[in-house]
Amino acid sequence: MRSLKPKEIAVIGIMLGLSLMLEVMPIEMPTIWGMKIDLVAVPIVMVYLLVGFTGGLIALFLLFVGLSIISPSSWLGASMKATATLAVLVGLEIAKRATRFDIESASPNRIVLLAIVGFLAGIAIRIPLMVALNYYYALPIWLGVPREAVISTVEEWTGVPFWVAIGLPNAVQSAIDVFVGLAATLPVLRSLPHLLE
């Protein structure tokens, strides 16, 4: 694994600060069962696009630490946010390799292709993972109910099947992470093309 350049460390630090700032700002849509749809992971996706997969993983780990300290949902919410965002980064990495994407010379069509393939690959990983983790790990702790009661509790609150209640908000969050992340990164690269040098 290569070492990070000072420029890459600076990008990670700036984007991590932005992520944590977005966590404490009231720009979010909470779900009934505890998940928030927000912009917190968008800067982490930007780190991935600007610095690469290793930089994205480092930023994601630091986000987990930061959210564990400042988030009202503590380490539990931080672990779920980090795991869900990891699925987004893996989906984008799969898309990047499958499409041979190069952000420095990408046409608009190639960017759209990366976004769509990355989103689909990410939700293919994220939704089953989040359904399982919410059932076996997060919701029994968060709701304070036995595992056997998690599905009925969530379905009673939401009025939809458990997998829809978990999967749909995660799909929406993934779309925000991928599409807003890409849309926010491209102007940065146009203004500061030397970031990737």
Side-chain angles (χ1 to χ4, degrees):
M1 185 173 77
R2 69 177 181 83
S3 60
L4 294 175
K5 300 173 185 174
K7 192 183 300 182
E8 294 171 325
I9 294 170
V11 168
I12 291 170
I14 291 166
M15 292 302 170
L16 176 63
L18 180 57
S19 282
L20 295 176
M21 186 178 75
L22 288 167
E23 169 64 22
V24 298
M25 293 174 68
I27 305 173
E28 61 190 40
M29 186 177 76
T31 63
I32 293 172
W33 45 268
M35 177 184 168
K36 295 184 309 178
I37 296 173
D38 55 30
L39 299 173
V40 171
V42 168
I44 304 304
V45 171
M46 293 177 70
V47 169
Y48 163 76
L49 293 168
L50 293 168
V51 177
F53 193 63
T54 300
L57 291 179
I58 292 168
L60 191 55
F61 171 75
L62 294 173
L63 179 66
F64 164 73
V65 173
L67 290 179
S68 296
I69 296 167
I70 69 166
S71 175
S73 58
S74 71
W75 61 269
L76 180 60
S79 67
M80 293 299 283
K81 178 60 111 177
T83 306
T85 306
L86 176 61
V88 172
L89 297 187
V90 171
L92 283 168
E93 184 67 12
I94 290 168
K96 185 177 174 184
R97 292 178 185 214
T99 62
R100 296 190 176 94
F101 182 82
D102 179 8
I103 198 165
E104 292 180 78
S105 58
S107 66
N109 288 342
R110 300 282 291 172
I111 293 167
V112 171
L113 179 63
L114 174 76
I116 292 170
V117 175
F119 168 71
L120 293 175
I123 62 171
I125 299 165
R126 179 174 180 156
I127 291 175
L129 180 61
M130 290 298 103
V131 168
L133 284 178
N134 273 288
Y135 176 71
Y136 288 105
Y137 161 66
L139 288 180
I141 298 170
W142 183 254
L143 300 177
V145 298
R147 185 179 303 137
E148 299 75 30
V150 165
I151 291 177
S152 60
T153 301
V154 171
E155 289 182 349
E156 185 179 318
W157 284 348
T158 61
V160 297
F162 178 74
W163 68 271
V164 173
I166 305 297
L168 184 58
N170 274 284
V172 171
Q173 183 67 73
S174 288
I176 292 169
D177 296 345
V178 170
F179 293 102
V180 176
L182 264 167
T185 302
L186 295 174
V188 171
L189 286 178
R190 288 191 200 104
S191 302
L192 303 166
H194 58 278
L195 273 179
L196 295 180
E197 293 172 2

